[in-house]
Amino acid sequence: MASTASTTEAPAQPRRLSGRLGVGSIVFMVVAAAAPLTVVGGSVPLGITIGNGAGFPAMYAVGSVVLFFFAVGFVAMTRYVPNAGAFYTYIAAGLGRLHGLGGSFLALLTYQTIQAAVYGYLGAALGGVVSDDLGGPDLPWWVWTGLAIAVVGFLGYRHIDLSSKVLGVLLIAEIGIVLVVDAGVVLAGGGPEGFSTASLTPSGIAAGAPGIGLMFALAGFIGFECTAVFRDEARDPDRTIPRATYASLAVIGVFYTLSAWSVVSAWGDTGAVTEAAADPEGMVVQTASDFVGVAAGDVVQALLLTSLFACVLSFHNVVNRYVFSMANTGVLPRFWGRSHARHHSPHTASLLQTGASVALVVAFVAAGLDPVLQVYTWMSGIATLGFILLMLLTCIAVLVFFARTRVDARVWNTKVAPVIGVVGLLVAAYLTAANFGLLVGGWTVGAVFLVLIVASYLVGPLVGVLKPGADPLAVAAFEAQLDAAEPAVPHQVRSTPHTAPDSEDIA
């Protein structure tokens, strides 16, 4: 049935995405999703305040190391699981069809909630700038959020190259201004206490609540793994995706660690904690004004808005491709997996995603939720735990897949690094779950959200029982016809003979 549907729809309804994205373009998309300026301006002060104080910058380095071990196995899987579903296809390849289906719905929840979180923050921030700084009309936050949804929907409907160009410009600007501020702090020799050393000492790193600090740090990496989602639009997937994954992780990790350390150094170990608690929203803006100039502070304020916009645009593209991939493997309705005849974009998925974002905003407004204290905080909490659980499941799936298939003999890539990744992610998952009530504003709300996370995963096996043909690893018949590839076999991973690893595949 699935094969027939695919065959009859293929000529009239294209189901293929196209593009020639290189490493740089994909890195732009992924790093934009991580919203570097938003993290530095928002998460860093919070990590300092309720995390481990002046030692918080070290948590980004720790998070980078944990995710590096995850990335080694993740990248090793890309050549053997060529589907563009990323997390859930890898989980299915290692742990089986039903677990893969569970991962697909958990991934949708994770990316949808982080996108909703940023939409809330963007609406509130944009409204504040327009009314307070520019003297414009004081409109409800959801008006500005609705405008952002419309622009994101327009860009997401068109070819991916347009989004990548927009994200590239915005990303260069926000990273550039933060690096200018970092340079200003370094050239000035730091603040009144000189350069911070708290991140370099065990006592400084272990101060306060390092577990909560690690939780905030890992939240800043959400989206770095989305390189695989753009596989179908990459110039040379087998080379581009591994390079883009490592490059994204390196850029994000180094940038966050350096920038967080610069912020702490600007205020001093003691002063940073005091300032972060007193004015978390304006801490980085004030740092820019003090060390570079008032104009730099204004630029940071403006680029915080573009950073938020770049973040939601990037996650919009990611969710579109998850829906597109799930539809073309029978998990979701197949007509959701159509691509535009001219733009070669997942336009149906984009329209659905835009509609879902509008519906969520309407629900938030109807419930009277605060866009920052509740929408942003609560949705970010769900996304953070979902992200860690997805990586943990993927890391376990990598171990099982290579142990079962033995298609790759590299011990480091398929055994040692993934095992270390599992241990690190288990610790992160425990710390996040144990502190989940604090992250979402109390255990009453926290318990509801934990149930939601578990329920989203259980939807997968239910769909698997109701739709026996739904398979995260299925390859649509039209793809085999277009590529003259081997016929698709349900629940079978298309693999290629293992050859000597290229340089980009060696961690």
Side-chain angles (χ1 to χ4, degrees), residues 46-52 208-216 372-374 376-382 384-385 430-447 449-450:
L46 290 175
I48 294 172
T49 303
I50 62 178
N52 53 327
I212 298 177
L214 180 60
M215 181 175 60
F216 271 99
V372 176
L373 298 179
Q374 292 172 310
Y376 179 76
T377 303
W378 293 1
M379 296 300 102
S380 294
I382 296 174
T384 300
L385 184 55
Y430 168 77
L431 292 173
T432 303
N435 293 283
F436 198 67
L438 174 62
L439 190 64
V440 299
W443 273 109
T444 301
V445 175
F449 287 163
L450 285 175

Side-chain angles (χ1 to χ4, degrees), residues 6-363:
S6 299
T7 303
T8 57
E9 290 181 8
Q13 300 293 345
R15 295 177 179 271
R16 168 175 292 277
L17 303 182
S18 71
R20 292 192 51 81
L21 297 176
V23 174
S25 295
I26 295 179
V27 170
F28 276 141
M29 301 285 286
V30 171
V31 177
L37 183 53
T38 300
V39 170
V40 174
S43 296
V44 167
L46 290 175
I48 294 172
T49 303
I50 62 178
N52 53 327
F56 175 67
M59 294 297 99
Y60 285 118
V62 172
S64 297
V65 172
V66 172
L67 297 185
F68 166 76
F69 290 115
F70 160 81
V72 172
F74 180 79
V75 164
M77 284 280 277
T78 60
R79 64 171 62 183
Y80 302 107
V81 185
N83 304 53
F87 275 147
Y88 76 88
T89 54
Y90 294 0
I91 294 172
L95 302 182
R97 170 175 168 265
L98 296 184
H99 285 291
L101 291 170
S104 69
F105 286 96
L106 178 57
L108 279 182
L109 176 69
T110 297
Y111 294 123
Q112 182 64 66
T113 50
I114 192 62
Q115 185 180 20
V118 180
Y119 268 133
Y121 202 123
L122 176 58
L126 183 57
V129 169
V130 171
S131 61
D132 298 339
D133 298 337
L134 301 179
D138 186 8
L139 300 176
W141 67 271
W142 51 266
V143 173
W144 302 110
T145 294
L147 177 62
I149 291 175
V151 177
V152 167
F154 170 77
L155 292 172
Y157 187 89
R158 300 178 66 83
H159 196 279
I160 188 65
D161 286 346
L162 178 59
S163 291
S164 68
K165 291 174 182 176
V166 172
L167 290 173
V169 172
L170 297 180
L171 185 62
I172 289 173
E174 65 177 283
I175 287 182
I177 189 60
V178 174
L179 291 178
V180 168
V181 176
D182 292 346
V185 174
V186 171
L187 293 175
E193 299 178 17
F195 293 130
S196 172
T197 59
S199 299
L200 304 176
T201 63
S203 59
I205 297 173
I212 298 177
L214 180 60
M215 181 175 60
F216 271 99
L218 288 174
F221 288 89
I222 294 178
F224 95 92
E225 80 296 339
C226 293
T227 51
V229 175
F230 298 99
R231 179 181 181 87
D232 291 344
E233 295 147 291
R235 182 177 299 131
D236 181 2
D238 289 339
R239 293 177 178 272
T240 302
I241 299 305
R243 289 172 175 173
T245 301
Y246 285 129
S248 298
L249 181 58
V251 169
I252 294 171
V254 172
F255 181 83
Y256 285 167
T257 303
L258 172 63
S259 299
W261 172 80
S262 296
V263 170
V264 173
S265 294
W267 295 90
D269 291 351
T270 302
V273 176
T274 302
E275 179 64 20
D279 184 21
E281 296 88 353
M283 185 178 186
V284 172
V285 175
Q286 189 61 51
T287 302
S289 298
D290 291 344
F291 285 85
V292 183
V294 176
D298 294 338
V299 171
V300 169
Q301 182 69 63
L303 289 179
L304 275 170
L305 298 178
T306 62
S307 175
L308 291 165
F309 176 80
C311 179
V312 290
L313 174 58
S314 186
F315 276 118
H316 179 88
N317 285 321
V318 169
V319 175
N320 290 349
R321 281 146 187 81
Y322 259 96
V323 172
F324 182 88
S325 180
M326 291 170 68
N328 280 305
T329 53
V331 181
L332 295 176
R334 288 192 178 274
F335 72 91
W336 292 6
R338 299 168 179 169
S339 63
H340 197 279
R342 181 159 58 91
H343 299 307
H344 300 287
S345 63
H347 68 299
T348 303
S350 181
L351 291 173
L352 288 167
Q353 173 62 197
T354 300
S357 297
V358 171
L360 280 174
V361 171
V362 170

